[in-house]
Amino acid sequence: MSRLLHISASPRGAESISLAIASTFAEEYLATHPGGRVDHFDLWDGSLPEFGPPAAKAKMTVFGGGVPVGEEAVAWEAAVRTFERFDAYDRYLFSVPMWNMGVPYKLKQFIDVVSQPGMVFGVDPETGYQHLLSRKRAAVVYTSSVWGPGIGAEFGSDFQSTFFDGWLRWAGIDDVQEIRHHPTLTGSYEDERKQADERAREVARRF
């Protein structure tokens, strides 16, 4: 059975454009993948653990070959559980709105929680990083309302897709399909949305 995990970074619910386009993708995916399944990980649902001082200490303990204890162990176990939830899938759909030229902080929190040694990456002293998620695939819905490709820097910059695509590829996920919706302040929302939905269906059918 084909299992897909949709990880959503928008807290806007029914008003979210990125979620709506991702829903179009999910519907087409289920319609064209018999026996397929789409699960949803809402990063705002309260299940994402913090990655504060105990977790940071635990990470460095693991880096040094040790075993976390006490509150470090509790924080580390929470990070491991989140990674295992993520790693149980080999296909991902991310819905990522642009916030302040970048990504919502909950998505960065998710990245910091799951990006652990021996899980997402390894490090070799001679060859550098080892990318451990190389057998996985991702589709990403990127949305913004002010910034858009080809317009001036006075409307912002794209630290959204550049950052997130960089993380995916650092983790080893090289098979990445993008779905974009950038109507800008003067563009046609209807035309852009139609194109984004068509792109979502196209990617979903062959995903």
Side-chain angles (χ1 to χ4, degrees):
M1 181 175 66
S2 169
R3 297 174 69 231
L4 171 77
L5 181 62
H6 171 208
I7 298 176
S8 61
S10 173
R12 299 185 64 229
E15 297 179 342
S16 169
I17 304 303
S18 63
L19 275 171
I21 297 171
S23 294
T24 298
F25 181 105
E27 290 169 4
E28 187 70 18
Y29 182 85
L30 291 173
T32 56
H33 292 72
R37 173 177 166 181
V38 177
D39 295 324
H40 186 200
F41 185 175
D42 177 359
L43 298 182
W44 299 86
D45 67 5
S47 64
L48 186 62
E50 294 292 328
F51 200 81
K57 290 179 182 179
K59 181 172 187 172
M60 299 313 297
T61 297
V62 172
F63 252 133
V67 177
V69 297
E71 63 176 358
E72 292 182 30
V74 173
W76 185 249
E77 288 166 5
V80 170
R81 285 195 302 271
T82 305
F83 170 76
E84 289 174 345
R85 177 181 180 183
F86 171 62
D87 192 47
Y89 300 80
D90 58 8
R91 301 181 190 188
Y92 303 112
L93 170 63
F94 293 91
S95 47
V96 184
M98 179 178 281
W99 277 24
N100 302 314
M101 298 188 293
V103 302
Y105 71 88
K106 280 292 182 184
L107 180 57
K108 181 60 166 64
Q109 181 180 340
F110 167 80
I111 288 171
D112 289 340
V113 169
V114 301
S115 297
Q116 304 303 336
M119 301 180 199
V120 165
F121 71 93
V123 181
D124 184 279
E126 294 185 0
T127 60
Y129 279 113
Q130 300 166 330
H131 316 288
L132 303 183
L133 303 185
S134 59
R135 295 185 299 275
K136 299 178 184 292
R137 307 175 66 189
V140 188
V141 177
Y142 291 114
T143 61
S144 65
S145 58
V146 178
W147 177 86
I151 64 175
E154 62 271 24
F155 292 97
S157 300
D158 178 18
F159 301 117
Q160 172 199 37
S161 65
T162 52
F163 164 75
F164 191 61
D165 185 73
W167 176 75
L168 288 172
R169 296 180 189 280
W170 172 74
I173 305 176
D174 292 322
D175 187 345
V176 180
Q177 301 296 319
E178 293 185 356
I179 302 152
R180 289 181 171 272
H181 181 263
H182 307 295
T184 73
L185 297 175
T186 58
S188 170
Y189 171 85
E190 290 77 12
D191 290 345
E192 290 288 334
R193 178 60 190 277
K194 181 180 179 181
Q195 291 176 22
D197 282 340
E198 288 175 351
R199 171 67 175 165
R201 295 187 185 97
E202 173 195 350
V203 174
R205 283 192 292 270
R206 52 187 175 83
F207 198 62

